[in-house]
């Protein structure tokens, strides 16, 4: 599963080169921090009109979140676009996401790829992760697993859990890289330790089947349980199987039924 989020965050970097600009920007940040969005807008707007990228970006965030103004994704996209054109990496990423999902702008995968690429080339991990997904799915670009792996690896090395999970899948399936269960386990583990439920489930499968690691039912149960407690239906089902068979845990039919029922309630067909 490939997951994609937009997380607009107000940029806190001070404007430099003009003390007056820096002071006004700081006033805006201070106001934003205490929830006084009207004052924050008052301080950011003049700076944005003068073309300061960080102020432009922050206005985009406030319109995207509806802070001090009615939420308006179209206006947010306009502010992000102006900041992105000036090289603001967060705005480039957010604008890429908006084109990717068709939020505030018509959906356009090619344009999404353009902005993700610009942000990714600046080292922005979330953009690298999302760009990897575009190449893996063939959205806005020709499908290219090797290039997907390239971008996911860059993001994964920065600690991006989604990229770590997706990279694990590529090594698990031998897509864009030679199949390598040990390397898949490495990336699944890093993502799973960050709480990624899909990675926790897949890691449980690897220990359950002895792929890339010695077979270890107790460790499989550990990872299935963590994923199951987050609502992963496949993990709930597999955890039920472990209790049903007494693998890695004492056999307990009552507990097995509990986990089977939770999986079934999510629509998982029980075999």
């Amino acid at each position: 599963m490939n997951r994609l989020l937009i997380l607009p965050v107000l940029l806190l970097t001070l404007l430099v080169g003009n003390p007056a600009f820096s002071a006004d920007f700081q006033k805006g940040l201070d106001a934003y921090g205490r929830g006084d969005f009207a004052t924050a807008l008052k301080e950011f707007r003049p700076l944005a009109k003068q073309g300061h990228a960080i102020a432009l970006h922050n206005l985009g965030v406030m319109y995207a979140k509806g802070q001090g103004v009615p939420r308006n994704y179209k206006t947010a996209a306009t502010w992000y676009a102006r900041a992105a054109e000036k090289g603001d990496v967060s705005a480039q990423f957010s604008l890429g996401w908006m084109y990717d999902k068709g939020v505030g702008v018509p959906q356009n995968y090619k344009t999404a790829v353009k902005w993700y690429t610009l942000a990714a080339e600046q080292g922005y991990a979330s953009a690298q992760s999302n760009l990897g997904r575009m190449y893996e799915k063939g959205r806005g670009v020709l499908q290219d697993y090797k290039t997907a792996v390239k971008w996911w690896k860059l993001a994964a090395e920065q600690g991006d859990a989604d990229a770590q999970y997706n990279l694990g899948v590529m090594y698990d399936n031998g897509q864009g890289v030679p199949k390598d269960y040990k390397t898949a386990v490495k990336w699944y583990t890093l993502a799973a330790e960050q709480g990624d439920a899909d990675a926790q489930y897949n890691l449980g499968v690897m220990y359950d089947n002895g792929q890339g690691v010695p077979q270890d039912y107790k460790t499989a149960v550990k990872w299935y349980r963590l994923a199951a407690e987050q609502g992963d239906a496949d993990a709930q089902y597999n955890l039920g199987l472990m209790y049903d068979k007494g693998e890695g845990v004492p056999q307990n039919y009552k507990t097995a039924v509990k986990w089977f029922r939770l999986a079934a309630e999510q629509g998982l067909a029980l075999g």
Side-chain angles (χ1 to χ4, degrees):
M1 181 186 294
N2 297 296
R3 292 128 310 169
L4 189 65
L5 293 175
I6 183 171
L7 298 173
V9 177
L10 203 75
L11 292 184
L12 305 180
T13 306
L14 287 174
L15 298 169
V16 296
N18 187 314
F21 291 152
S22 296
D24 290 342
F25 186 76
Q26 187 61 51
K27 288 178 185 177
L29 287 183
D30 292 342
Y32 186 91
R34 62 177 182 267
D36 183 358
F37 299 131
T39 299
L41 287 166
K42 179 182 176 182
E43 298 297 337
F44 289 149
R45 283 187 191 280
L47 298 173
K49 288 179 179 178
Q50 294 176 59
H52 291 278
I54 297 172
L56 288 164
H57 170 271
N58 287 355
L59 285 178
V61 171
M62 296 183 77
Y63 274 96
K65 290 186 172 183
Q67 294 173 322
V69 289
R71 177 173 285 171
N72 188 319
Y73 290 122
K74 184 176 181 180
T75 302
T78 299
W79 289 114
Y80 284 146
R82 291 182 61 187
E85 292 285 359
K86 291 179 175 292
D88 183 277
V89 66
S90 295
Q92 290 170 343
F93 167 72
S94 294
L95 190 59
W97 185 92
M98 296 182 94
Y99 277 104
D100 191 357
K101 307 303 288 186
V103 175
V105 291
Q107 189 175 52
N108 188 316
Y109 290 141
K110 286 187 178 181
T111 304
V113 167
K114 166 190 169 181
W115 291 113
Y116 282 154
T117 301
L118 287 170
E121 288 174 346
Q122 292 196 62
Y124 199 86
S126 295
Q128 292 169 341
S129 183
N130 288 1
L131 187 57
R133 184 185 56 83
M134 303 301 275
Y135 276 98
E136 187 257 341
K137 295 293 184 184
R139 293 177 179 168
V141 289
L142 293 175
Q143 189 177 54
D144 185 337
Y145 290 145
K146 287 186 178 180
T147 302
V149 166
K150 165 193 166 181
W151 289 114
W152 277 335
K153 190 169 292 185
L154 288 169
E157 289 170 350
Q158 293 194 64
D160 186 285
D162 286 345
Q164 290 169 344
Y165 164 74
N166 288 332
L167 195 54
V169 171
M170 301 302 271
Y171 277 102
D172 198 352
N173 296 332
Q175 294 175 314
V177 288
K179 182 176 287 193
D180 185 336
Y181 289 139
K182 285 186 178 180
T183 303
V185 167
K186 166 191 168 181
W187 291 113
Y188 285 152
T189 300
L190 288 170
E193 289 173 346
Q194 293 196 64
D196 186 291
D198 294 322
Q200 290 168 345
Y201 167 72
N202 283 10
L203 191 56
V205 171
M206 304 300 272
Y207 277 100
D208 197 353
N209 295 331
Q211 294 173 312
V213 288
Q215 190 174 53
D216 184 336
Y217 290 140
K218 286 187 178 180
T219 303
V221 166
K222 166 191 167 181
W223 291 113
Y224 285 151
R225 189 185 307 279
L226 287 169
E229 289 172 349
Q230 292 196 64
D232 186 288
D234 290 319
Q236 291 169 344
Y237 175 74
N238 281 9
L239 187 56
L241 286 177
M242 303 302 272
Y243 276 102
D244 188 31
K245 297 177 180 179
E247 294 178 336
V249 288
Q251 191 173 51
N252 188 318
Y253 293 133
K254 185 176 180 180
T255 304
V257 168
K258 165 193 166 182
W259 290 111
F260 287 150
R261 180 176 291 117
L262 287 170
E265 287 172 353
Q266 294 195 64
L268 186 70
L270 304 183

